[in-house]
Amino acid sequence: MQNAPIPAELQALYDAAVAAGPQFDLSPEAVFDYSGLILEIPPVRDWADWCTPRNVMTFATTGGDSVHYSYLVDARLPEGVCPIVMTLPCAPSLNMVIAESFQEFFDYGYHVGWFSLEQLHYDEEKGDPYFRQPSPTFSEIGSQQLQLLRKALNMKPRPPTLARFAELQDKYSALLDIPPAPEFEA
């Protein structure tokens, strides 16, 4: 799995980061931080080994509460399907399948990026409208980065919903190889 080829859609994100880095005077890994993606280039296994499924490759973190995004690597998946997993180390349900492809994941961030995706887990009523339009509080740098990403990744607005997350959980969660919960001493 460690030597698996990088999916083409993820490579497009990496290429956009390499191209945008000099414009913002940031490394490719950090250039999209304002949009909610601190990249792992190349993707890594076992990003947080106690909560990250063992059969995913982590490609980004939000920089908040150790929330990170990974893609599922499993021979049982149909060709062309690459589920995206959001790991929430601070939540009761640690892992959620949130997209069936990188394109679906990218499209979620069309208006406001990806930092707030975890908020849907906690409060869909507040989160859903947030993803449907540009935010007046989104940073200017983040807005500039999103313009670059929309073009580079052929993004279309597709707001995420808990209903979609639940559908994907039903479809793919059984494939996740979740590590056993750590035992903590009292």
Side-chain angles (χ1 to χ4, degrees):
M1 182 165 70
Q2 191 73 24
N3 295 325
I6 294 173
E9 297 87 352
L10 179 57
Q11 187 61 55
L13 174 62
Y14 288 166
D15 292 346
V18 168
Q23 181 177 343
F24 296 96
D25 197 26
L26 292 166
S27 71
E29 292 82 5
V31 72
F32 297 132
D33 181 10
Y34 290 93
S35 298
L37 293 178
I38 301 170
L39 301 178
E40 292 289 339
I41 304 174
V44 297
R45 235 178 121 241
D46 299 329
W47 194 83
D49 63 353
W50 65 273
C51 62
T52 306
R54 292 181 281 225
N55 58 341
V56 300
M57 297 295 289
T58 301
F59 64 91
T61 178
T62 65
D65 294 331
S66 296
V67 173
H68 52 285
Y69 301 113
S70 308
Y71 60 95
L72 180 60
V73 179
D74 192 292
R76 297 170 287 181
L77 290 168
E79 188 172 331
V81 173
C82 191
I84 306 299
V85 177
M86 177 171 61
T87 301
L88 303 151
C90 296
S93 53
L94 296 173
N95 295 284
M96 296 177 69
V97 180
I98 61 168
E100 201 160 23
S101 67
F102 275 101
Q103 191 63 54
E104 182 176 12
F105 174 77
F106 295 154
D107 291 350
Y108 289 164
Y110 185 88
H111 289 297
V112 294
W114 299 267
F115 186 82
S116 295
L117 268 178
E118 73 173 290
Q119 294 308 312
L120 282 174
H121 175 74
Y122 301 112
D123 189 350
E124 182 175 29
E125 288 180 20
K126 286 183 181 176
D128 186 43
Y130 179 75
F131 287 93
R132 294 189 177 276
Q133 59 193 357
S135 169
T137 61
F138 199 66
S139 76
E140 183 180 334
I141 294 173
S143 296
Q144 291 172 5
Q145 292 172 351
L146 281 178
Q147 286 178 331
L148 294 172
L149 286 169
R150 285 180 194 130
K151 184 176 181 180
L153 303 175
N154 195 29
M155 292 167 58
K156 307 281 186 257
R158 183 187 321 195
T161 65
L162 278 181
R164 177 64 174 151
F165 292 0
E167 174 188 326
L168 294 167
Q169 282 297 104
D170 289 345
K171 198 169 181 180
Y172 298 111
S173 67
L175 297 178
L176 296 177
D177 183 5
I178 308 290
E183 293 185 28
F184 296 105
E185 290 185 29

